[in-house]
Amino acid sequence: MKINSTFKLNLIMACTTLALTSMAQNAYAEEVATAEPEYTFLDSVKEGKPMTSFRLRYENVQQDGNGPAGTPFATKPLEDANAFTLRSLIGWQTSPFHNFSFAAQIINVTKLNDNYNDGTSFTPINGASNQPDTSGYAKVVDPDQTNINQAYIDWTGIKNTKFRLGRQQTNLDNVRFIGDIGFRQVMQVFDGISVTNKSIPDTSVYAAHFESVNQINTRYRTAGALDILNAKYSISATEGVTGYGYFSKFDDLGFGNAWFGAGNPTANQSNKTLGLRLDGTHPFSPNFRAAYTAEYAKQTDYSGGDARIDAHYMKLGGGVGFDAFNIRIDQETLSSNDGKFAFQTPFGTNHLFQGWVDKFLATPRQGIKDTFVTATYRLDDFLFFADYHVINSDVDFAKVGGGTGDKYGKEWNAAVTYNVNSNIMTKLEYGKFTESDQYNAGRIRDTDKLWLTAMYTF
């Protein structure tokens, strides 16, 4: 795990401070403690918990044309992708020992075949002289990877507070803005320090300073920092209001052309996002409930970021639930700054939004208005899911062949999950995107995707 010298010094200083504080507390406790069997570090290891799972997946992608890669409007079809991959997470976290807990987790992603483009065109994997050329296949961003997925120290020496130092997964709220992108085989993880405090009744405050991020395409970004402040007040057990601020000094996350258009690969991507979210489910009886969401955020340039970064985010929606059935309708808007820049969520689990086919992981500069209906039904150990999206732009775009339009396309997704037992999960998923107006700035082609997943968790 690569860590720059400044960050390494910060880690050492923070660890030393926490250790000295804990030792002082333990010395005082030993003076008043009664004679009891000593609890050793080995005991804390034995009483810890596993962080181990194995996930086998098959993903099929059928995409018309060459899409945004290469020549945007080429008619030569991409070969269907058929990706077989296995992700192994192997790790352990100790139980608390003198207020400290230690965790380490290794990740290995193994490609079981080469019939897909794994999205790591910056490495010799695709088209190397000693490896098969996969550039003619549709893309599935699940490259080979062996790395430290997580390695952190938790310290709980202050009441209702937990510090976490090191490489860590981070998932906040509905993971729209901060998430580990856990759907992909290689996960997004952050290096730094975070703190969670629950001293105020019904309130949880999370703050973090991260100095590097390991992305799902195995890119390790160190030129910048991400500061996070997220505070949630629980109105009830299932309802809450959250205020947040995300401050990114990463000037390059690999999205230059996607965010600002062709010819802007070096545009500074540093930005800040401030928002407020009201979300929950209100039960009216044991069998009937209502769900609602109202959220607004503003994104602007920050720490030298490009001046075009100026857009907002809004989500409104709600629905009802009867026994095991739920249905709702939502509209999510990622606005456009007059076609110069659109609201972006570079640290979020974007696979879960605007459809699973992943046509909009980076928001087109004309923005997005996604209106969608979602339904779920649980039957014993089966969970059924379906949604339907109508995806339009926020401002009009130039169409292929002339004229303007605002309709990107439509998408529907369906899934069934079967929990064999508490350890084994299986899942079948399907998504289909159909293009409407032909987007002129990197054609969004018709695409079908199918996933079969089996996972064993210890």
Side-chain angles (χ1 to χ4, degrees), residues 201-437:
D202 303 317
T203 303
S204 178
V205 178
Y206 176 90
H209 174 77
F210 297 130
E211 294 209 356
S212 52
V213 55
N214 198 55
Q215 297 175 310
I216 62 172
N217 60 4
T218 71
R219 278 289 201 190
Y220 186 60
R221 305 286 179 178
T222 59
L226 173 64
D227 294 306
I228 294 173
L229 181 61
N230 181 290
K232 180 177 180 179
Y233 174 74
S234 296
I235 302 169
S236 69
T238 56
E239 300 167 277
V241 59
T242 304
Y244 52 82
Y246 307 125
F247 306 87
S248 172
K249 295 181 182 178
F250 285 98
D251 59 358
D252 180 14
L253 288 165
F255 305 122
N257 283 330
W259 285 16
F260 302 105
N264 291 275
T266 61
N268 192 317
Q269 297 160 34
S270 302
N271 67 86
K272 66 177 181 289
T273 302
L274 303 174
L276 189 66
R277 173 182 174 86
L278 177 66
D279 180 74
T281 300
H282 185 80
F284 291 99
S285 74
N287 306 101
F288 176 69
R289 59 202 169 273
Y292 59 88
T293 300
E295 184 171 6
Y296 180 85
K298 179 69 174 179
Q299 186 172 82
T300 55
D301 59 292
Y302 176 69
S303 186
D306 194 287
R308 289 170 289 184
I309 301 176
D310 185 4
H312 68 265
Y313 171 92
M314 185 167 61
K315 184 176 182 180
L316 292 172
V320 294
F322 305 91
D323 293 325
F325 177 74
N326 297 280
I327 189 168
R328 62 180 293 159
I329 184 170
D330 296 85
Q331 184 176 83
E332 184 184 54
T333 300
L334 291 83
S335 79
S336 171
N337 181 12
D338 296 324
K340 295 176 290 187
F341 171 85
F343 194 101
Q344 305 291 341
T345 57
F347 302 106
T349 301
N350 296 340
H351 170 76
L352 298 178
F353 302 88
Q354 278 113 44
W356 299 340
V357 176
D358 290 343
K359 290 298 184 180
F360 304 97
L361 295 179
T363 311
R365 288 179 293 113
Q366 290 76 19
I368 288 177
K369 284 187 177 179
D370 177 21
T371 304
F372 57 102
V373 177
T374 307
T376 64
Y377 180 70
R378 184 175 293 278
L379 178 64
D380 297 327
D381 294 321
F382 289 90
L383 176 63
F384 299 90
F385 174 98
D387 69 11
Y388 181 75
H389 298 256
V390 177
I391 306 174
N392 296 332
S393 62
D394 182 48
V395 300
D396 288 353
F397 54 80
K399 296 193 299 183
V400 174
T404 60
D406 66 350
K407 297 176 177 58
Y408 292 130
K410 300 177 176 63
E411 179 170 332
W412 65 272
N413 303 277
V416 56
T417 303
Y418 174 56
N419 294 307
V420 179
N421 54 41
S422 60
N423 302 103
I424 301 175
M425 179 275 293
T426 61
K427 197 169 191 178
L428 169 64
E429 301 165 277
Y430 177 78
K432 181 178 180 64
F433 175 84
T434 305
E435 182 184 51
S436 294
D437 293 332

Side-chain angles (χ1 to χ4, degrees), residues 83 85 111 113-126 131 134-135 137-144 184 216-218:
T85 55
K111 296 169 60 175
N113 69 328
D114 289 303
N115 298 334
Y116 68 97
N117 180 348
D118 67 18
T120 57
S121 57
F122 50 85
T123 73
I125 292 176
N126 293 324
Q131 298 193 36
T134 61
S135 58
Y137 288 99
K139 186 175 291 186
V140 176
V141 186
D142 284 331
D144 281 319
R184 295 261 58 104
I216 62 172
N217 60 4
T218 71

